[in-house]
Amino acid sequence: GRAVAWLAWFAPLGGPITIGLVGRPDIFMKGLDLAFGAIAELARRGGPGVVWLFPIAAKHRPAIERLLVESGAASFVELIDPPADADLPALYRRLDALLVASRFEGGPYTMLEAMACGTPVVATPVGLVPDVIEDGVNGIRVSATDSVPALVEGIERFLALSPEARAEMGGRAREIIGRNHDAEHHFARLRAILHEVA
């Protein structure tokens, strides 16, 4: 319930690594079947403890819960209430990383939001990902889309990082968003394009 969600967002840092899945509940586009398959495979392999948080509205939970059971990931993913927009930064900052397993994307804008909050992203090479994530520097760029083994490999590379390296990666993530993807930067580019066309 909502109390569990608030505890999850604001629990003290330390302990298990916390990775989030944030986005619309479009199972195919967002690659949720792939993400859950990767989570189940990582659990079978052992390794560092990971808390997986997925904010999802109650009306979408039955389909997600069925998929979690089918994939074998039901014991490892905690479904929490979606935050209000004003609370999103607190959720992103609570995470050690955000996983984006999408098969295709226009953005993903959750990647930009998380990185702006200093949260590294492990993402498939879709949409803006190749332009934004420098692999191993400000995030982890998964080697392929539509591939559970590629997701597992990308997540394992992130989990192998020290806490200091993860923090440094988050700082670089925030830096690139501030430098290249803030609203004023985009407005300036748009003004220049419109001026050139005029």
Side-chain angles (χ1 to χ4, degrees), residues 5 8-10 13 18-24 30 53 55 80 83-100 108-121 158 166 170 173-174:
W9 296 349
F10 296 105
L13 295 178
T18 303
I19 300 179
L21 301 99
V22 180
R24 295 196 314 271
K30 296 297 182 182
L53 295 182
I80 63 174
D85 288 346
D87 295 325
L88 265 174
L91 173 58
Y92 286 128
R93 286 193 293 269
R94 170 69 187 95
L95 302 175
D96 292 292
L98 177 73
L99 176 62
V100 174
Y109 296 105
T110 52
M111 170 187 71
L112 301 178
E113 292 170 350
M115 292 176 73
C117 294
T119 301
V121 177
F158 179 79
R166 294 197 301 268
R174 185 171 52 246

Side-chain angles (χ1 to χ4, degrees), residues 170-181:
R172 288 176 175 165
R174 185 171 52 246
E175 183 181 298
I176 194 171
I177 298 301
R179 186 171 67 243
N180 297 334
H181 298 278

